[in-house]
Amino acid sequence: MTLAKGIEWLCRLFLGGLFLVAGYAKLANRFEFELAIESYQILPVWGVIAVARTLPWLEVALGLLLLRGWKLHWFATFSTAFLGFFLATMAITYSRGVQATCGCFGIGEPVSPRTLLRDTLFFLPSVYLTVVAWRRLRLAHKGVPSTE
């Protein structure tokens, strides 16, 4: 196994586990997760309920797909967009002065510079995985043999 392949594997393991834990925590604490979504003051009540019912299952599915590595270029891209969207939402909410609860892991953790830094650190391996997966696909289409 090459160093690059090892780093990719660690990123998949980390992100897959992260999404599984986050999704499970939200499923285990559904009411608290609804309150966390509502605290952002962005969605109407029906939107809060819809997100609270679907997002945890989406995270669990994404975690399993990242661990499996199937269609990695697509699911790593989705992971990056997903994490980027939530990071931006948290940053905007924090900059507006709204006292929102993160909700990342289903607990009542307030959005703060600490949670923004932590989520940025979650975002970086996802970006790496996305770049590597698309690069590998591009090289495969050009007929360049894999070095793995």
Side-chain angles (χ1 to χ4, degrees):
M1 179 184 294
T2 65
L3 178 61
K5 190 68 175 166
I7 293 170
E8 176 189 332
W9 183 83
L10 286 173
C11 288
R12 282 182 38 218
L13 183 65
F14 171 74
L15 291 167
L18 177 77
F19 281 115
L20 285 173
V21 168
Y24 177 76
K26 291 174 179 91
L27 288 169
N29 301 298
R30 290 176 189 242
F31 181 68
E32 291 169 1
F33 182 53
E34 280 187 26
L35 292 175
I37 296 169
E38 195 279 325
S39 72
Y40 283 82
Q41 302 173 9
I42 296 173
L43 297 172
V45 174
W46 64 266
V48 168
I49 293 168
V51 169
R53 289 184 182 170
T54 57
L55 185 64
W57 293 108
L58 190 62
E59 287 180 327
V60 168
L62 182 58
L64 291 172
L65 289 163
L66 287 170
L67 287 172
R68 174 67 179 97
W70 182 69
K71 301 284 185 184
L72 187 59
H73 57 286
W74 290 117
F75 293 111
T77 300
F78 183 73
S79 169
T80 300
F82 200 56
L83 290 169
F85 171 78
F86 289 116
L87 182 59
T89 301
M90 288 172 56
I92 290 167
T93 301
Y94 182 75
S95 70
R96 288 181 18 221
V98 175
Q99 298 296 314
T101 301
C102 176
C104 296
F105 298 100
I107 57 174
E109 183 180 16
V111 175
S112 66
R114 183 174 165 257
T115 55
L116 290 169
L117 175 62
R118 180 198 64 202
D119 285 14
T120 299
L121 294 175
F122 293 162
F123 180 70
L124 295 176
S126 188
V127 171
Y128 173 82
L129 198 56
T130 300
V131 170
V132 166
W134 280 103
R135 183 174 185 272
R136 181 180 303 118
L137 183 69
R138 186 187 58 173
L139 291 174
H141 284 359
K142 287 183 175 181
V144 177
S146 176
T147 59
E148 299 157 15

